[in-house]
Amino acid sequence: MDLGIEKGHIAGLQIFLLNLSLALTLGLFAGLAMRALVLLVIDHARPAVVMGFRALVAAAFLGFGFFDFLFSRNMQVWDRPSRAVVAACAIALPMVTFARQKKGSGEPPEMRHALYVSGVLIALCVFSILTLLRAGTVALTGDRVTLIVEATGETRVEDEPLPNRPATAKVTLYHAVVWLPTGVPLADVWLPGDRLRLKGRIYRLSPALNAFGFPNLYEFVSVRNDTANTNRNSEAVMEEFLFAENGPLAVHPWWKPIQASILSHWEAATADDSFFTLRAVPNASPDYPLEDGQGRPIRKTFLLVLPPSGHATSRGSSPLEKTVPRSY
């Protein structure tokens, strides 16, 4: 699915810089781990304490690098600049260390070197966490198409269980697919209702941080179906589907609770007028119809627009009716 939707220069630049920062972090973890391993091999005439510390440093950088790769791989796009940054960091740092040791210009290890290495590890971990906080979100950089909701017009009939009763009811399911503008599918669902909406969450930063180039973020949470047809069996269970755990907006299940905890504590620790303010606000798109007034399935593509404020709309390029109320 190639809709050829323009992302905009600002959005494209921010995505490019985020991608490079992810590659740089991963490359530094790899390069510094290799540097410690090189020192273990070629500078082995050191006290056991020094050798043990170097082994611990290598293990720490490798371990944190592994988790950084694991948590960021859905966000990372392995284009040529990213591959070059990772390769340069992973190769240059151990090669420079090897060359200095061979020349005899390497300084003997002292306590301050251990402090430097520890400081670099902590700084790199903090930077990694800050970049990973954007996992599963899109940056709100302007009025642009963020998702495409495709009502395919396909239906099927299934027996659905009724709540608190042993009986079932015949329910018509409507097929819908949610896409990123790049053509990556986020959700492929069959819904028993005659309309759907996308539920999400806006992470609003302070105006000061926005002015420094840090955009508000939007997290898509789920696809919720509903019905406005009073003739439909009201006992049929309406359903809510979480977005699939794949693609660029997927968040690793180990990182997801950590990310949620950090964002929650950040929000609780900042006042409304703080420079570092963060506020999480629930949000949902307008209702997208899956059938017309005569009960016939609709085949149509709707364009979801997210402005910098984060309020999901279908303004401008969407065929949705402007009068459709927003549901929360």
Side-chain angles (χ1 to χ4, degrees):
M1 182 178 184
D2 185 9
L3 298 180
I5 296 174
E6 177 64 36
K7 291 183 178 180
H9 296 298
I10 295 178
L13 178 60
Q14 290 196 344
I15 292 171
F16 175 76
L17 293 177
L18 173 63
N19 204 46
L20 280 187
S21 68
L22 293 170
L24 178 63
T25 306
L26 186 59
L28 288 175
F29 273 125
L32 290 168
M34 294 299 296
R35 175 184 180 275
L37 291 174
V38 166
L39 288 173
L40 272 175
V41 173
I42 66 174
D43 192 27
H44 50 80
R46 298 295 181 186
V49 174
V50 174
M51 300 300 287
F53 177 75
R54 285 174 173 173
L56 183 63
V57 167
F61 279 113
L62 281 176
F64 283 113
F66 169 76
F67 285 110
D68 181 70
F69 170 75
L70 195 66
F71 297 155
S72 67
R73 61 181 179 177
N74 290 322
M75 304 166 62
Q76 182 74 60
V77 178
W78 289 109
D79 52 14
R80 187 174 297 176
S82 297
R83 295 195 301 269
V85 167
V86 172
C89 292
I91 295 173
L93 289 174
M95 290 300 291
V96 168
T97 300
F98 179 80
R100 291 186 65 191
Q101 290 295 327
K102 283 298 182 182
K103 284 184 175 181
S105 58
E107 298 181 10
E110 299 178 4
M111 180 59 68
R112 60 188 178 90
H113 294 136
L115 295 177
Y116 291 159
V117 171
S118 301
V120 169
L121 178 61
I122 292 172
L124 201 52
C125 288
V126 170
F127 184 75
S128 174
I129 289 171
L130 290 176
T131 55
L132 288 172
L133 284 178
R134 288 189 57 169
T137 66
V138 294
L140 302 177
T141 54
D143 290 348
R144 61 192 181 97
V145 174
T146 309
L147 287 185
I148 296 95
V149 180
E150 181 186 7
T152 67
E154 299 174 90
T155 62
R156 70 186 185 199
V157 178
E158 289 188 358
D159 291 327
E160 291 283 330
L162 298 176
N164 304 317
R165 291 173 58 183
T168 60
K170 294 287 186 182
V171 177
T172 300
L173 302 181
Y174 295 84
H175 187 217
V177 184
V178 182
W179 305 80
L180 282 173
T182 54
V184 177
L186 291 182
D188 190 330
V189 293
W190 291 84
L191 303 167
D194 52 32
R195 58 183 180 173
L196 70 86
R197 63 182 179 270
L198 308 177
K199 296 177 68 176
R201 187 180 296 112
I202 312 166
Y203 290 104
R204 290 204 182 104
L205 300 175
S206 68
L209 286 175
N210 291 155
F212 274 93
F214 296 95
N216 296 329
L217 303 174
Y218 196 96
E219 175 188 17
F220 291 100
V221 178
S222 62
V223 181
R224 168 74 184 182
N225 73 297
D226 206 347
T227 180
N229 189 346
T230 56
N231 296 323
R232 188 182 297 274
N233 187 342
S234 60
E235 293 182 293
V237 180
M238 297 294 101
E239 299 185 59
E240 187 165 350
F241 300 84
L242 297 178
F243 280 101
E245 290 297 318
N246 52 41
L249 294 187
V251 182
H252 194 279
W254 294 355
W255 174 247
K256 200 165 190 175
I258 301 173
Q259 179 189 26
S261 178
I262 293 174
L263 291 173
S264 176
H265 282 84
W266 182 355
E267 182 178 12
T270 54
D272 290 339
D273 58 351
S274 169
F275 180 87
F276 297 102
T277 296
L278 173 74
R279 291 293 177 265
V281 183
N283 183 259
S285 71
D287 291 328
Y288 293 79
L290 298 174
E291 67 173 33
D292 60 19
Q294 286 71 46
R296 294 171 299 190
I298 290 176
R299 183 177 182 180
K300 189 177 288 187
T301 298
F302 305 105
L303 307 181
L304 176 68
V305 177
L306 284 175
S309 65
H311 290 298
T313 70
S314 45
R315 184 179 67 251
S317 54
S318 173
L320 279 176
E321 295 293 333
K322 303 287 182 65
T323 57
V324 176
R326 184 182 291 112
S327 302
Y328 293 90

